[in-house]
Amino acid sequence: MTFDNKKMQYRVTLNTDLNLFIAFDKMNPNHFATGITIEKAVEELQKTA
């Protein structure tokens, strides 16, 4: 599922092996960040944008 906010579009997946959410930049799938919550993953993704 693709989401967006005012800064970027992203999609979020859950890695059940690691129990981590992964947020991917929609424009660059090689740009991603992880977090223990969706909010943390998106926050980390925005920090590295």
Side-chain angles (χ1 to χ4, degrees):
M1 183 175 276
T2 301
F3 302 92
D4 62 34
N5 60 23
K6 294 183 189 325
K7 295 182 182 179
M8 67 183 346
Q9 291 188 332
Y10 57 91
R11 65 184 176 88
V12 177
T13 62
L14 173 62
N15 182 323
T16 56
D17 291 333
L18 300 174
N19 289 327
L20 286 175
F21 288 96
I22 307 168
F24 292 91
D25 185 338
K26 184 179 178 199
M27 298 302 179
N28 180 3
N30 293 322
H31 178 225
F32 64 92
T34 61
I36 58 172
T37 65
I38 292 172
E39 292 83 4
K40 289 290 185 185
V42 171
E43 182 182 316
E44 291 299 318
L45 182 66
Q46 290 174 344
K47 285 181 185 177
T48 62

